[in-house]
Amino acid sequence: MSKHHLDYLDELEAEAIHILREVAGQFEKPALLFSGGKDSITLVRLAEKAFRPGKFPFPLVHIDTGHNFPETIRYRDEMIARLGEKLIIGHVQDSIDQGKVVEQKGKNASRNALQTVTLLDTIAAHQFDACIGGARRDEEKARAKERIFSVRDEFGQWDPKRQRPELWNIYNGKIHKGENVRVFPISNWTELDVWNYIRRENIALPSIYFAHERDCITRNGQLMAAAEYLNMDEDDVITRRNVRFRTVGDMTCTAAVESDAYLIDDIIDEISASKISERGARMDDKVSEAAMEERKKGGYF
Amino acid sequence: MEILKFITAGSVDDGKSTLIGRLLYDTDAILADQLEALHRSNRKNDDGTIDLAILTDGLKAEREQGITIDVAYKYFQTDKRKFIIADAPGHIQYTRNMVTGASNSNLAIILIDARRGVVEQTNRHSFLVSLLALPQVVVCVNKMDMVDYDQATFNQIVEQYQVLAAKLNLKNITYIPVSALKGDNIVNGSPNMAWYTGKSLLNHLETVEIPVDDKASHARLPVQWVVRPQTEELHDYRGYAGRVSSGTFKVNDKVTVLPSGFSSTITKIELLDKVFDEAVAGQSVTVHLQDNIDISRGDILVSSHAHPEVSQLIEADLCWMDTRALDTSLTYLVQHNSKVTRCRIQDVLYKFNINTLDKVYEEEFKLNDIGRIILKTAEPLAFDVYQENKANGGAIIVDSRTNVTVGALMLRAAAD
């Protein structure tokens, strides 16, 4: 009688690799949605495990708002060069130029909401039938109910009422033309699992995840990186702060947290501690904003 | 650290929401916004404590607005283990939801109301747990506070359940008297039930052995993808990528490819930059063989010493999951591991009355019906008996008109 049990990170990894290989086996034109954040960086490592020494059976797709952190773009380009894989970039600027979306105005203007249109156009242009994403079920309640293979209609919509039962490790990827499937290989991972995996695998991350000195302004109680993309005026006071970013999105909507976490061990300690404070009902604005950020990120997919 | 996946079975009246809420609350697994909502809420129990059922009732409100269906997954962890709860709501589509949730679980918690004992619903839950072959069962006799924590009441229910368990051939059952509402024996022990000397529910979940099915030790690896770089330096590289579904494969093991029947020897097991002497159940790997055999996605590598059944005519238990009834004149698709082929339900042998556990002889197969059928497939399936090897004995049926998953199959035996 076999009594082997995999360690939890090994089990989560094996499950994710299995899902990635199912995508490769079941779809004609899959793609991996890459945002430059820790979750999609983890997906890239899992794809290496699933398909090396072969090529990835899909390109990476980055929806570029044009307002990214320069550190993220640098990381992305270095990673692609190292991997030797194909990168497709969908530019939100193109959607603006085509008149499909309108740039927001005012102090809180952000391109975050605009990128969904660019994403759907990019999917249509390349006729992707499966899009792999790094969303996790622990991110929010609605995600807790989403399948690992999540069918989207021709408008990219998720219909929770039409979800297919998902049994054992069998994933049904059959779709009609025009539909696509969003696939979430790390559905069963928590934020802390991702960090522990990154530490174990020694995966490099964009530098903004780690504490650094940066010019910041305060917006709606949040610390934002001072950048030309932000609509700043004379009321905005620039201060030098020691910060890091918990998620990686666009500069206009990704808030910083003050932090001295220079190493991955520090980050893991920080997240573990902040979870306790979150759960201890001593929630301050900063933490709740970070949670909001996570949710927005979920909405992207 | 290991992961334990479990499902909770019980209607809202049995205290399922409160039990899950209590587990999450007492293990600090509740997110800030949920906790805040909990404290803001005016719903309080009679004694002024927070109503933990709100944690899952929040989801129910969404369901009433038509947002939610089926299973939600919840995550928590302690120092000893990580847990994934498949939270299948106990409503109208009960059977389908529970089958879905149970298919991925190692353990089922069956809630029994101490005031009512074993009821029809308990039969139903237990039948499904038996059908889906969950290796561990915990019977939580809940609401012990409502029966004055009476030991005789608990013992009586245990005796009742033992009769049912024997009938269903359920094994590895643990009985725990609890009050989810008051927290007795959920995370901590209970001063109210000094007569109970066993573990609390959480302590049991943290320490219970997660058994690997006895006969599941036969090595199986469904091939998902052939890694074939065909570059200058890797001209002859040919790796078979897949996840070991049961047993262990070692380098130098003799393996057979099914359904073709060709045999070879494993020369290498690897994953990215790691090389392994062996690969165990659950592990995703890439395997190399000594001989160049034609192997593609949908084939399965098995130990040459223990072959599964290979057949196109298979007796199976079927749970129907679609609002359109089963049509025996139609051709469906069957998906077993990485293999997809056409199929027909050739014969409906009988259905189960899952409340009384009796056999019913009628042809019509509707939503949530479970019964025994004969499946005919266009290509042979290489399968194990589900009750002995879940990983290689489960399959789904897909309606090729709608592409929806309409049936769950627990394969039993070759029928030809």
Side-chain angles (χ1 to χ4, degrees):
Chain A
M1 176 169 168
S2 160
K3 290 227 174 148
H4 286 292
H5 283 292
L6 300 176
D7 177 69
Y8 78 98
L9 283 180
D10 290 323
E11 185 172 338
L12 292 171
E13 178 193 68
E15 179 184 65
I17 292 170
H18 174 254
I19 293 162
L20 286 169
R21 287 167 169 173
E22 281 306 289
V23 174
Q26 292 195 35
F27 295 93
E28 295 290 322
K29 290 206 75 181
L32 190 153
L33 302 179
F34 182 80
S35 70
K38 64 183 189 312
D39 298 315
S40 53
I41 289 169
T42 297
L43 284 181
V44 169
R45 168 57 57 97
L46 292 164
E48 287 185 83
K49 296 216 180 196
F51 305 111
R52 288 290 184 249
K55 293 281 256 184
F56 291 0
F58 40 70
L60 274 60
V61 172
H62 182 219
I63 303 304
D64 188 345
T65 61
H67 291 171
N68 287 290
F69 286 89
E71 292 95 326
T72 309
I73 299 300
R74 199 181 313 132
Y75 178 94
R76 178 195 74 187
D77 294 341
E78 283 170 9
M79 187 194 77
I80 288 297
R82 175 181 68 78
L83 288 172
E85 297 289 347
K86 189 178 176 193
L87 174 71
I88 292 169
I89 303 173
H91 294 280
V92 171
Q93 187 62 52
D94 290 347
S95 304
I96 295 170
D97 294 344
Q98 289 158 10
K100 288 189 166 179
V101 292
V102 178
E103 189 103 71
Q104 292 178 355
K105 293 193 175 68
K107 244 190 157 178
N108 296 319
S110 163
R111 288 183 169 183
N112 194 45
L114 309 186
Q115 60 188 331
T116 303
V117 172
T118 313
L119 171 67
L120 294 180
D121 281 353
T122 308
I123 290 172
H126 295 270
Q127 297 188 319
F128 294 129
D129 51 4
C131 297
I132 302 157
R136 305 185 318 268
R137 282 177 179 149
D138 78 328
E139 285 178 57
E140 59 156 349
K141 275 186 182 181
R143 285 280 305 126
K145 286 152 228 154
E146 191 161 6
R147 299 289 182 264
I148 289 173
F149 271 36
S150 179
V151 179
R152 304 298 172 105
D153 67 14
E154 57 178 319
F155 300 101
Q157 298 181 119
W158 176 55
D159 182 355
K161 281 186 256 178
R162 282 184 52 225
Q163 293 203 99
R164 300 167 178 178
E166 206 155 69
L167 295 130
W168 300 290
N169 297 315
I170 305 173
Y171 302 101
N172 169 11
K174 288 263 178 295
I175 49 169
H176 295 295
K177 192 136 185 78
E179 294 177 334
N180 69 80
V181 176
R182 301 293 171 89
V183 180
F184 306 110
I186 59 169
S187 282
N188 285 325
W189 300 39
T190 64
E191 183 185 14
L192 204 54
D193 294 335
V194 172
W195 280 107
N196 280 320
Y197 187 73
I198 286 169
R199 172 163 66 181
R200 190 187 83 170
E201 297 287 312
N202 203 13
I203 300 170
L205 290 178
S207 56
I208 60 168
Y209 275 115
F210 301 95
H212 57 283
E213 273 200 6
R214 191 169 205 117
D215 285 341
C216 294
I217 58 164
T218 305
R219 266 290 154 82
N220 307 324
Q222 297 179 86
L223 268 184
M224 306 295 291
E228 52 179 314
Y229 313 126
L230 265 68
N231 294 334
M232 303 202 334
D233 55 35
E234 61 275 12
D235 294 345
D236 290 312
V237 183
I238 294 177
T239 53
R240 195 85 178 151
R241 302 287 192 98
N242 215 41
V243 295
R244 69 174 206 89
F245 294 82
R246 197 168 167 182
T247 64
V248 169
D250 137 346
M251 289 189 87
T252 58
C253 68
T254 308
V257 289
E258 297 204 89
S259 172
D260 297 317
Y262 295 97
L263 301 168
I264 196 147
D265 287 345
D266 304 335
I267 292 176
I268 289 172
D269 288 348
E270 193 182 275
I271 289 170
S272 306
S274 95
K275 288 223 166 178
I276 288 160
S277 81
E278 277 182 55
R279 286 166 196 172
R282 287 179 288 115
M283 198 170 65
D284 57 22
D285 284 350
K286 195 161 58 181
V287 177
S288 104
E289 294 297 348
M292 181 68 84
E293 192 62 47
E294 286 282 324
R295 247 173 257 131
K296 277 186 185 171
K297 222 173 122 238
Y300 172 83
F301 291 116
Chain B
M1 202 189 287
E2 291 167 0
I3 302 175
L4 179 75
K5 300 176 181 175
F6 66 93
I7 183 168
T8 47
S11 72
V12 177
D13 296 341
D14 293 335
K16 186 172 80 79
S17 311
T18 310
L19 181 93
I20 294 175
R22 173 65 67 184
L23 275 174
L24 295 174
Y25 186 79
D26 285 0
T27 55
D28 283 339
I30 296 164
L31 295 172
D33 50 341
Q34 293 172 310
L35 197 66
E36 210 186 36
L38 203 61
H39 284 294
R40 265 203 316 268
S41 144
N42 291 320
R43 271 178 62 181
K44 295 267 161 76
N45 296 310
D46 297 340
D47 60 1
T49 55
I50 311 163
D51 182 359
L52 292 169
I54 294 171
L55 286 168
T56 46
D57 282 357
L59 299 172
K60 214 192 322 166
E62 289 173 7
R63 192 174 307 121
E64 277 150 13
Q65 293 161 37
I67 305 170
T68 315
I69 55 152
D70 274 319
V71 187
Y73 294 90
K74 296 192 170 67
Y75 303 81
F76 72 101
Q77 85 177 88
T78 66
D79 293 338
K80 298 196 179 69
R81 252 183 198 163
K82 289 178 74 77
F83 300 96
I84 302 179
I85 312 177
D87 181 15
H91 288 248
I92 321 144
Q93 297 183 320
Y94 190 88
T95 306
R96 173 183 123 139
N97 293 334
M98 190 167 157
V99 168
T100 302
S103 76
N104 282 314
S105 296
N106 316 110
L107 179 147
I109 296 177
I110 292 178
L111 277 165
I112 296 177
D113 186 328
R115 295 168 304 174
R116 289 158 54 194
V118 171
V119 294
E120 197 170 271
Q121 187 127 319
T122 319
N123 288 339
R124 195 143 65 115
H125 302 156
S126 305
F127 172 73
L128 293 172
V129 166
S130 159
L131 186 80
L132 271 290
L134 270 68
Q136 289 280 358
V137 179
V138 180
V139 175
C140 279
V141 178
N142 192 25
K143 306 196 181 181
M144 286 300 291
D145 55 308
M146 310 281 273
V147 295
D148 297 326
Y149 300 106
D150 179 39
Q151 183 178 9
T153 306
F154 174 71
N155 289 343
Q156 207 180 343
I157 292 171
V158 171
E159 277 171 38
Q160 276 183 352
Y161 194 84
Q162 280 167 341
V163 175
L164 176 64
K167 200 167 152 190
L168 291 169
N169 204 19
L170 284 174
K171 296 189 182 70
N172 302 320
I173 309 169
T174 304
Y175 300 91
I176 307 178
V178 304
S179 165
L181 183 69
K182 309 279 185 186
D184 295 285
N185 288 331
I186 301 290
V187 169
N188 303 308
S190 166
N192 298 316
M193 287 178 278
W195 49 265
Y196 173 74
T197 52
K199 292 172 174 169
S200 72
L201 175 62
L202 181 69
N203 195 226
H204 177 70
L205 296 174
E206 283 177 322
T207 51
V208 65
E209 194 191 321
I210 308 170
V212 177
D213 306 341
D214 277 2
K215 291 171 189 164
S217 51
H218 299 325
R220 309 279 184 254
L221 187 146
V223 175
Q224 294 182 272
W225 183 252
V226 181
V227 181
R228 189 108 170 78
Q230 290 179 299
T231 54
E232 284 278 310
E233 66 272 29
L234 293 168
H235 191 264
D236 295 322
Y237 186 102
R238 192 193 289 264
Y240 304 103
R243 189 178 189 192
V244 180
S245 64
S246 63
T248 303
F249 285 97
K250 293 188 174 70
V251 173
N252 295 325
D253 275 359
K254 277 239 174 269
V255 293
T256 303
V257 183
L258 293 174
S260 72
F262 291 116
S263 289
S264 187
T265 304
I266 294 179
T267 54
K268 192 180 186 186
I269 302 171
E270 65 176 342
L271 192 76
L272 195 56
D273 44 13
K274 279 194 200 134
V275 176
F276 305 99
D277 296 330
E278 61 171 35
V280 301
Q283 214 176 333
S284 282
V285 289
T286 302
V287 167
H288 295 255
L289 300 181
Q290 202 160 51
D291 308 278
N292 256 339
I293 314 171
D294 177 20
I295 304 174
S296 52
R297 177 177 164 83
D299 292 340
I300 181 167
L301 299 181
V302 304
S303 160
S304 293
H305 303 296
H307 283 200
E309 302 261 18
V310 181
S311 178
Q312 287 177 255
L313 210 56
I314 303 164
E315 186 183 292
D317 289 325
L318 169 67
C319 173
W320 196 252
M321 310 184 122
D322 198 39
T323 46
R324 294 193 199 195
L326 165 67
D327 185 341
T328 49
S329 70
L330 272 183
T331 300
Y332 293 95
L333 295 170
V334 61
Q335 188 169 349
H336 172 245
N337 292 318
S338 54
K339 176 133 190 146
V340 180
T341 182
R342 292 182 178 282
C343 74
R344 257 197 297 272
I345 312 301
Q346 178 162 301
D347 201 2
V348 175
L349 300 176
Y350 51 83
K351 293 199 299 186
F352 295 103
N353 178 328
I354 60 172
N355 296 320
T356 62
L357 313 179
D358 296 328
K359 292 174 186 172
V360 186
Y361 296 90
E362 58 180 48
E363 284 251 331
E364 196 179 29
F365 230 93
K366 301 187 301 293
L367 178 68
N368 292 327
D369 279 351
I370 294 178
R372 192 154 296 169
I373 55 108
I374 303 286
L375 179 79
K376 185 174 190 181
T377 60
E379 291 170 54
L381 301 186
F383 70 97
D384 286 283
V385 179
Y386 179 82
Q387 290 288 331
E388 294 170 358
N389 184 342
K390 288 160 74 171
N392 197 39
I396 60 168
I397 293 184
V398 175
D399 186 329
S400 44
R401 297 168 298 179
T402 59
N403 290 328
V404 169
T405 302
V406 292
L409 286 165
M410 279 70 57
L411 306 175
R412 293 181 54 84
D416 45 4

